[in-house]
């Protein structure tokens, strides 16, 4: 951790503020999956209705990421982060008072806009604050916060359900979701807005319109970056959703494995996610963004095919879940640094929000495609082909991008301010 001792106090405060925001996002989001059985019992809703809430939240999260990117370019990184944290905290808290399925669906959808937006705003803020030599490590560490938030949600669930009856416990957990709003007070007092480059500052004084900002990522100077970045987002999310949607069903119905629902399996997956983010954080500052993404994409494709085409016992599956979780975490842990380094400051938030969240929306087609393919072949074969194609798309798209490691977007903070520096050569 020598690198951590070398960064400034402003960089450290920004790092841990973004880490806290994403971890709290993880808590609020994962709590829902844990309380689904209580919701089914409390309101006698179907599993399909519960799935609709989860799906609506994810789609809203992607929309929120797009909007937050534009907002960050319009009003600043810190203010956008404050708005998104307040937004998801407020609607998580209000979800505790829902009196019907329709009310909860509406409130969770609105919450999703905030949690999707928080990642985009925080990623842009951190990327512009950190020293280029350590940007990848910082972004990877922040991505690992989701795993810590996931673990925190499990612990909170166990604690609250131990002392509160199930029909009220889920409301208590949602009410706790207001806690992240306290982070905004810290952000207002301690986090520095990255300096704007001269041209961006002049544009902002002219009060650039929302549509002008959004259209900027399709300017001839950056449209190739936008299209290729969107393909990476599509492949990365498509492979992830293919695995998380269908792999448990495949292992349970075709391989008849029983370990999936155990606490041991969940613990392995959470730890693997955190370790994967840390490994990716270290590697991307050493081998570069492109090769890091390619390495993890190839490893994910190999692991999925091992699961689907080789004999797997309960014990073997539990062991293999660690490298699978590790490799699947490595790609998103790289995308924050990669996407930020591809865009000029004036449209950086919009570009990052689009590349990451276009992929989240469009990737919904991958699990659907597996379902259709499984009618004419085994589910395992459909899963292996589909996930392999998704991660293959990541590899091809990454090869079409320049290497951005070391790109100087903002110099290290000095005396509480951040000075803009020239971009590095992108050979």
């Amino acid at each position: 951790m020598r690198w951590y001792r070398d960064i400034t106090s402003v960089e450290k405060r920004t790092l841990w503020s973004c880490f806290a925001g994403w971890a709290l996002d993880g808590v609020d989001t994962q709590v829902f999956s844990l309380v689904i059985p209580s919701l089914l019992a409390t309101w006698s809703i179907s599993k399909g209705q519960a799935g609709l809430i989860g799906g609506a939240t994810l789609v809203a999260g992607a929309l929120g990421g797009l909007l937050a990117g534009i907002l960050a370019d319009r009003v600043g990184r810190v203010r956008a982060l404050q708005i998104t944290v307040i937004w998801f905290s407020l609607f998580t808290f209000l979800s505790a008072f829902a009196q019907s399925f329709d009310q909860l669906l509406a409130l969770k959808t609105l919450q999703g806009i905030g949690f999707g937006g928080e990642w985009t705003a925080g990623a842009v803020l951190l990327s512009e604050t950190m020293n280029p030599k350590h940007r990848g490590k910082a972004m990877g560490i922040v991505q690992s916060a989701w795993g810590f938030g996931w673990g925190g949600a499990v612990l909170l669930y166990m604690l609250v359900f131990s002392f509160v009856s199930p029909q009220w416990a889920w409301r208590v957990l949602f009410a706790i979701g207001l806690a992240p709003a306290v982070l905004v007070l810290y952000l207002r007092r301690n986090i520095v807005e990255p300096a704007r480059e001269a041209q961006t500052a002049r544009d902002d004084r002219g009060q650039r319109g929302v549509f002008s900002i959004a259209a900027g990522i399709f300017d001839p100077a950056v449209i190739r970056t936008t299209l290729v970045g969107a393909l990476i987002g599509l492949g990365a999310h498509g492979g992830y959703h293919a695995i998380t949607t269908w792999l448990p069903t495949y292992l349970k119905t075709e391989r008849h494995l029983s370990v999936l629902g155990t606490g041991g399996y969940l613990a392995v997956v959470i730890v693997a996610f955190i370790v994967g983010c840390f490994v990716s954080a270290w590697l991307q500052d050493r081998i570069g963004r492109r090769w890091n993404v390619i390495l993890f994409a190839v490893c994910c494709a190999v692991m999925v095919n091992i699961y689907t085409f080789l004999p797997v016992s309960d014990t073997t599956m539990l062991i293999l879940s660690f490298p699978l979780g590790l490799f699947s975490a490595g790609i998103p842990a790289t995308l924050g640094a990669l996407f930020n380094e591809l865009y000029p400051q004036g449209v950086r938030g919009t570009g990052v929000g689009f590349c990451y969240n276009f992929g989240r929306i469009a990737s919904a087609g991958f699990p659907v495609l597996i379902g259709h393919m499984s009618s004419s072949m085994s589910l395992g074969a459909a899963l292996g082909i589909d996930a392999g194609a998704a991660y293959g798309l990541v590899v091809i798209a990454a090869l079409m991008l320049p290497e951005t490691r070391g790109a100087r977007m903002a110099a290290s903070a000095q005396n509480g301010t951040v000075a803009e520096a020239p971009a590095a050569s992108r050979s």
Side-chain angles (χ1 to χ4, degrees), residues 310-335:
L310 295 181
V312 181
S313 65
D314 264 348
T315 301
T316 304
M317 198 278 292
L318 186 61
I319 295 172
L320 290 178
S321 63
F322 187 87
L324 179 63
L326 186 152
F327 294 136
S328 62
I331 298 175
T334 313
L335 296 185

Side-chain angles (χ1 to χ4, degrees), residues 340-354:
N340 272 285
E341 291 167 349
L342 288 170
Y343 284 96
Q345 191 180 54
V347 294
R348 183 168 295 137
T350 307
V352 172
F354 178 82

Side-chain angles (χ1 to χ4, degrees), residues 11 54 81 121 186 262 287 291 345 383 396 411:
E11 290 172 313
L81 183 58
Y186 181 84
T262 66
I287 67 174
W291 290 112
Q345 191 180 54
L383 175 58
I396 294 171

Side-chain angles (χ1 to χ4, degrees), residues 29 31 58 80 84 103 159 189 192 201 216 236 258 262 303 312 325 338 379 384 389 404 423:
T29 304
V31 156
L58 291 175
T84 56
Q103 290 180 14
L159 178 64
R189 297 172 61 90
V192 178
S258 59
T262 66
M303 286 303 304
V312 181
L338 173 64
L379 178 58
T404 61

